[in-house]
Amino acid sequence: MKFRLFVILVLIILFDLEIGAQNIDSIFYDLDIKEVVIRRKPMLPITDIGPLKSTADPTLLFESISVNLGDILSGFGSIFVKSYGRSTLSTASFRGTSSYHTQVLWNGMKINSPMLGMVDLSTIPSFLIDKMDVSSGSSTVGVVSGGIGGSIELETGTEADDSSFNILYVQGISSYSTYDQYLKLSYGGDKLKSSTKLFFTSSKNDFSFTNYRKKIFLFDDHGNTIESHHPVEKNRNGFFKDLHLLQEFGWYSDDGSHWGASVWLMNSHRGVPMLNVDYRTVSSSENFKDETSIKSTFLWDRDQKRIKHSLRGGYNYSDLKYVYLGDTGYGSLKKMIDSNSAINTLFISGDTEFRPDNNLTISISVSLYHHFVGTFDRAQANITTGNSVIGYKKSRFEPSVTMTAKYRPTNRLGISAIVREDVYGKSVVPPIPAVFVDFLLSEKLGIKVKSSFARNFRFPTLNDLYFNPGGNPGLKPEKGFTYDLGASYNIKNKTFSLGGNLLVFGSKIDDWILWLPTYKGYWTPYNIRRVDSRGLETTTELILNFSEQKALTVEGSFAVTRSINKGDPVGLLDESIGKQLVYIPLYSSSIKGIFDAKKWKFVYSWNYYSKRYTTSNNDEGSTLGLLGDYFMNDISLERDFYLKIGSLSVKIMVNNLFNEEYESVLNRPMPGRNYGLFLSLKPFL
Amino acid sequence: MRLVLKYIFPIFLLLTFFSCMDYGPVDTENLDFSDSGRGLFIVNEGNFMYGNASLSYYDIETKIVENNVFSRVNGINLGDVAQSMVIHNGKGYVVVNNSGIIFIIDTNTFKVRGMIDGFISPRNIFISGSNKGYVTDLYSEAIVEVDLDSNTKLGTIITKGHPSTEQIVAVNSELFVCCWSNDNIIFVIDPSTNAITDSIIVPFQPNSMVVDINNKIWVVSSGAYNSENFGSPSPTLSIIDPTNRLVEHSIGLEGGESPVSIATNGARDTVYILNNGVYGYSVRDDSFSPAQIVGKSDALYYDFTVDPVTSEIYIADAIDYVQAGAVYRYSPKGIPVDTFRVGIIPGEFCFKE
């Protein structure tokens, strides 16, 4: 509590000093706003018609070298990010759906594992990404197949207006022996541009915590407890070492064509942290996960007056290894699990957008993916033949065609329709339609009303169908129906900007695929669940410009997501029907305040998730069935220095400001207050 | 700036106050069943890697059930995947598989009286004599011998090439250990020397065994998960003569997707099989024609036990694996007696006499 009061005092002083320094001219409520005479009819921009995308503020992606995409997405409305801690599995679920319903694309290529169906966001440092668009519900239909919940589009590349040679180096030193390094070299010639990004992070990640799930007992000779206490332990086996190299070239020709090529290499070696109820030692039991991936894309696009063409292609190779080493019982560690997977994906897509007049846009997009997957466990061999008995080798071809039309019959009204057709191997998914209606209510206040509805499907992953043991070739695709209705607003003047939106949404998913254990020791998937998800989300952004160099930005989001199991009971005593899905919070919210003052920048961020159930019947009777409300406060303070050799930025970050003890996933301890120091150097060349 | 002071700044101040997470030590309570009659412990596995295993206690006379007793009394979690429990000299030995520990508890108050650690993936403890235990393991290629006086490891019996030792039964001063996961062997051990003296090949994945009144070993094998590797995916019942190590009878069971398990009554003259219903085999019936005692249902019958005193049958229902399970109590003739809720994935039973 003392620390809490100290923080409040510091906040008061910070704001108080600023008040004292205010110039009367900068006080916005005294500004004389001139009358604006509107000389034209209000017009709904045709680009605003149809699917709604939220674009992340580029400065947010580049805010800290130590955060990954999961950390960034936790501030986006109704997206729930389930994280086991830094550099451990981090997944995003939209509007009460599952992480398998979130599709992630990099430079237009879907990078969800065709084997597992999801993306571990902790393997994507936000520093590498130049642009991130987030789509939910119906809006996803126009982006990618299978995004019943939502999609995340990541873009990297060279900048057309970059015309010099630049170097940027960022060094981070954080708690628990965590070191982050980032180097960016960029070159911008007249036509040829190049960008090289190198990112390396390593950590022991051995934070201390009081383990409330264990006790050290002291017994007398009769076995009675004399004394007991909760031990202070360290996070075990949580180490990580990640290396990323991203090389990109761009060519901008005089005829408006743009060529781009990107290669992203990643190598990761990570421990799998032990549960806080694990009594084994690291010397007798060790888990680690290695991943090497090579992703590459190429791009060509040409934008002419009435028509725009683009062609994209790519290759994604991923080599995953999970090893569990255990004591054999005779003094040596042996691989008890040695799971190896190799995934190769080839991708090509072409898009053409035709604009016959200012009120109509028609586009067609064709994409082809071919996945090749091989997975096996070397440690689980047939006792007779010695061959691996776990795993499979399969390939799948996934073509898709999407047609989109946007039409503006009147200045204020926009209508858009999308039809998508997906094929998975020999299975054809029924046509997927999506319809969007937009109406400009007030141009002055920027009020737009949007509504949409769509069908959607998600085809089973290759593991769902073929994993040996347990794969179920008889699985049906998950079927979704989604709708949303909302309004956005945007009011601006020289000193003030207020924008945001309010949206209600709903979706129904049938034949939800769920893996269940079997008595023979393996798991198998079934089309078992029907889920009805409804909710409301709202975001607000307020920017106050006190002067040219002083501004306050406040961003907030709030969401209510009721994601209910509407399936048939699996037995007479099944109490899960009508209950909230596990790990989906009913309420989530985030608020971020950014105060820029000349060379200083102060950021306060607050995140909230309401309680999350870990049982399908929403049992609140014990700590085993519930994770309590999650509140997190982080702050950072940054100062820019302009030196002779270049610009230097020094940033101090405090995460978990109030040193909260918590678990965000059952029996996974999280770190207390931790610190980071970040130096960013950009030499003048 | 006044707007900032009046509206925005107070919001951030409020956030700092409304930011306390409710996490920390769990309140404990005292429970005491010293004065009650016979009881039944239900070991609830919980979900793998969730650490939400629990222990339930059912008073057989009063039908009162107390859930999560280990955590409520001791203020700590039982751990990740509680596998089994046995009672010896008034102490309960609860084996927690993926936590690598055995908790020793007072069977009346549920208070921790000791712990044995140092395991990799312990499954079951078999108590031999007055103070010696053998602990089987899912991954370690060894059975660990423990001293129950000092609660320490004494030594190991190496089972090289066979990591998944599961259940142990004793016949004629010999121990018979079945190797379950991805295996098909039963080892014979001489407990006086801890040496493996022989082995018996049985159908794939033998998971549980009982000894009948004639000292024959009845084994159920859950079957293969891939017919290309090991033949039939269907479960099998095998009857072994431990003296000559021969499999005398091998009976294919229907199904293959439901849990199979085996138990006997107190007299050991009837052997019961759980196979999406409970079936009883009289050991005197050479035709091995089972009588259906409890029929099939929508419930997910995960495991069962038979009361050694009353021959009543208790069946565990895991429901959907992610909510509190249930236990159905039946008379020896299969008439419902009671139903009660327990913890997540009730997987094992242990009677307190």
Side-chain angles (χ1 to χ4, degrees), chain A residues 394-413:
Chain A
K394 287 282 177 186
S395 66
R396 186 161 75 189
F397 184 52
E398 297 177 4
S400 177
V401 181
T402 309
M403 292 176 69
T404 305
K406 292 180 179 181
Y407 178 53
R408 185 169 52 196
T410 71
N411 283 352
R412 288 175 180 268
L413 179 66

Side-chain angles (χ1 to χ4, degrees), chain B residues 34-146:
Chain B
S34 308
D35 298 331
S36 70
R38 299 176 65 238
L40 177 66
F41 284 97
I42 299 99
V43 181
N44 305 294
E45 286 180 16
N47 302 109
F48 178 61
M49 295 305 280
Y50 272 50
N52 57 356
S54 66
L55 195 62
S56 300
Y57 181 77
Y58 177 69
D59 189 314
I60 291 171
E61 313 297 332
T62 63
K63 297 182 182 173
I64 290 170
V65 63
E66 295 284 352
N67 285 319
N68 200 21
V69 293
F70 181 90
S71 183
R72 286 162 59 195
V73 168
N74 298 296
I76 57 174
N77 286 23
L78 183 58
D80 194 37
V81 189
Q83 192 65 42
S84 60
M85 178 178 177
V86 295
I87 293 174
H88 176 68
N89 287 343
K91 294 177 190 169
Y93 293 79
V94 187
V95 183
V96 190
N97 171 246
N98 204 39
S99 288
I101 195 156
I102 297 174
F103 284 110
I104 303 159
I105 61 165
D106 185 305
T107 53
N108 291 318
T109 64
F110 319 122
K111 284 184 177 167
V112 173
R113 305 290 295 272
M115 295 186 281
I116 313 173
D117 59 11
F119 305 104
I120 300 302
S121 190
R123 298 283 290 184
N124 292 278
I125 180 169
F126 177 83
I127 292 170
S128 173
S130 61
N131 67 343
K132 202 161 72 168
Y134 292 95
V135 181
T136 58
D137 200 288
L138 179 63
Y139 287 124
S140 176
E141 296 176 359
I143 297 163
V144 178
E145 185 188 11
V146 292

Side-chain angles (χ1 to χ4, degrees), chain A residues 275-558:
Chain A
L275 293 172
N276 60 6
V277 292
D278 198 330
Y279 289 81
R280 291 170 291 196
T281 60
V282 174
S283 61
S284 67
S285 168
E286 190 185 341
N287 287 325
F288 64 84
K289 199 172 75 170
D290 288 347
E291 182 175 359
T292 301
S293 70
I294 304 168
K295 297 179 177 70
S296 58
T297 58
F298 74 84
L299 157 75
W300 168 80
D301 63 43
R302 189 174 182 186
D303 198 352
Q304 292 167 303
K305 195 178 177 186
R306 292 279 174 205
I307 195 161
K308 181 183 175 185
H309 301 288
S310 74
L311 187 68
R312 287 173 186 260
Y315 169 66
N316 187 1
Y317 167 75
S318 179
D319 184 281
L320 289 161
K321 188 180 186 71
Y322 169 71
V323 173
Y324 170 48
L325 290 162
D327 193 334
T328 52
Y330 42 90
S332 61
L333 291 182
K334 185 185 171 185
K335 288 176 181 173
M336 310 292 188
I337 297 172
D338 184 8
S339 174
N340 295 267
S341 308
I343 303 167
N344 287 274
T345 296
L346 296 167
F347 156 73
I348 191 159
S349 79
D351 297 72
T352 294
E353 185 181 287
F354 179 53
R355 299 180 290 262
D357 62 47
N358 291 334
N359 294 319
L360 180 64
T361 302
I362 296 168
S363 61
I364 182 164
S365 169
V366 178
S367 72
L368 309 171
Y369 287 88
H370 204 146
H371 305 292
F372 303 86
V373 169
T375 178
F376 55 92
D377 187 340
R378 290 191 175 125
Q380 303 293 317
N382 182 315
I383 54 174
T384 315
T385 64
N387 296 330
S388 174
V389 294
I390 291 181
Y392 65 94
K393 199 172 178 183
K394 287 282 177 186
S395 66
R396 186 161 75 189
F397 184 52
E398 297 177 4
S400 177
V401 181
T402 309
M403 292 176 69
T404 305
K406 292 180 179 181
Y407 178 53
R408 185 169 52 196
T410 71
N411 283 352
R412 288 175 180 268
L413 179 66
I415 298 167
S416 174
I418 300 172
V419 179
R420 184 179 196 95
E421 182 60 60
D422 293 337
V423 178
Y424 292 84
K426 293 176 181 173
S427 305
V428 181
V429 169
I432 300 167
V435 175
F436 304 81
V437 179
D438 302 77
F439 187 73
L440 179 64
L441 209 61
S442 163
E443 190 172 55
K444 189 178 176 186
L445 300 174
I447 299 176
K448 282 176 251 173
V449 177
K450 295 184 81 73
S451 69
S452 68
F453 64 88
R455 284 178 74 189
N456 212 338
F457 290 85
R458 185 183 78 93
F459 209 77
T461 65
L462 292 173
N463 268 12
D464 291 337
L465 295 168
Y466 306 118
F467 194 80
N468 179 26
N472 182 355
L475 285 175
K476 295 178 281 185
E478 295 177 334
K479 296 185 279 288
F481 173 77
T482 182
Y483 63 89
D484 45 51
L485 173 67
S488 60
Y489 59 94
N490 197 348
I491 312 159
K492 271 185 187 173
N493 66 27
K494 278 184 182 174
T495 59
F496 169 88
S497 164
L498 178 66
N501 65 56
L502 175 70
L503 198 74
V504 290
F505 61 86
S507 67
K508 290 178 191 294
I509 303 173
D510 279 334
D511 293 324
W512 182 303
I513 295 169
L514 204 64
W515 282 72
L516 295 174
T518 70
Y519 193 62
K520 291 178 184 173
Y522 61 87
W523 294 56
T524 196
Y526 299 98
N527 291 105
I528 204 163
R529 199 180 261 170
R530 197 162 70 241
V531 172
D532 189 351
S533 181
R534 284 173 287 130
L536 172 150
E537 63 185 36
T538 178
T539 59
T540 304
E541 183 186 68
L542 171 70
I543 300 171
L544 300 173
N545 295 307
F546 303 113
S547 67
E548 259 187 32
Q549 292 185 315
K550 242 175 255 176
L552 175 70
T553 305
V554 179
E555 298 161 356
S557 71
F558 174 75

Side-chain angles (χ1 to χ4, degrees), chain A residues 4 215 222-223 277 279-280 328 330 334 468 517 519-520 522 573-575 604 615-616 631 660 663 667, chain B residues 16 18-19 21 23 50-51 74 98-99 113 120 140-141 222 225-226 233 256 260 320-323 341:
Chain A
R4 202 173 289 262
K215 271 183 185 171
H222 304 289
V277 292
Y279 289 81
R280 291 170 291 196
T328 52
Y330 42 90
K334 185 185 171 185
N468 179 26
Y519 193 62
K520 291 178 184 173
Y522 61 87
L573 298 180
D574 186 359
E575 294 177 344
Y604 195 124
T615 56
S616 63
F631 300 95
E660 297 282 357
E663 294 169 6
N667 295 308
Chain B
T16 63
F18 290 100
S19 296
M21 294 198 232
Y23 182 79
Y50 272 50
N74 298 296
N98 204 39
S99 288
R113 305 290 295 272
I120 300 302
S140 176
E141 296 176 359
S222 50
Y225 46 74
N226 182 345
V260 286
D320 64 353
Y321 294 100
V322 278
Q323 64 179 293
R341 299 302 287 240

Side-chain angles (χ1 to χ4, degrees), chain A residues 75-207:
Chain A
F76 272 70
S78 60
I79 300 175
F80 172 63
V81 176
K82 185 178 175 188
S83 171
Y84 292 70
R86 191 176 173 195
S87 289
T88 50
L89 184 65
S90 174
T91 55
S93 53
F94 285 64
R95 296 180 174 180
T97 59
S98 143
S99 56
Y100 303 99
H101 300 134
T102 302
Q103 300 292 332
V104 184
L105 299 95
W106 171 60
N107 288 350
M109 178 173 70
K110 188 163 69 172
I111 57 172
N112 286 54
S113 164
M115 195 174 82
L116 302 168
M118 60 182 182
V119 172
D120 181 356
L121 298 171
S122 75
T123 61
I124 306 175
S126 69
F127 251 46
L128 291 186
I129 306 304
D130 297 321
K131 185 169 179 272
M132 178 169 78
D133 288 333
V134 175
S135 307
S136 306
S138 316
S139 298
T140 312
V141 173
V143 178
V144 65
S145 309
I148 287 181
S151 67
I152 302 162
E153 292 172 86
L154 309 174
E155 292 284 343
T156 62
T158 55
E159 292 169 31
D161 55 355
D162 188 358
S163 59
S164 58
F165 181 58
N166 287 304
I167 298 176
L168 173 66
Y169 179 73
V170 181
Q171 176 67 56
I173 302 167
S174 308
S175 302
Y176 323 123
S177 307
T178 305
Y179 302 97
D180 298 289
Q181 288 82 212
Y182 174 79
L183 175 68
K184 180 181 178 184
L185 307 172
S186 60
Y187 164 77
D190 287 345
K191 292 179 178 174
L192 178 68
K193 321 279 179 182
S194 167
S195 162
T196 307
K197 294 173 184 170
L198 182 66
F199 181 91
F200 180 67
T201 180
S202 65
S203 177
K204 287 184 179 174
N205 196 21
D206 57 348
F207 57 85

Side-chain angles (χ1 to χ4, degrees), chain A residues 23-75:
Chain A
N23 183 318
I24 191 76
D25 293 339
S26 69
I27 300 172
F28 77 94
Y29 59 84
D30 276 346
L31 284 172
D32 181 18
I33 301 167
K34 288 179 183 174
E35 186 182 341
V36 177
V37 179
I38 300 168
R39 297 186 186 280
R40 62 174 178 80
K41 286 182 180 176
M43 180 76 83
L44 178 68
I46 197 153
T47 50
D48 288 2
I49 296 169
L52 180 66
K53 287 183 184 180
S54 303
T55 301
D57 183 344
T59 58
L60 185 68
L61 294 168
F62 215 69
E63 193 173 288
S64 170
I65 192 172
S66 63
V67 304
N68 61 53
L69 276 190
D71 302 320
I72 303 283
L73 286 163
S74 59

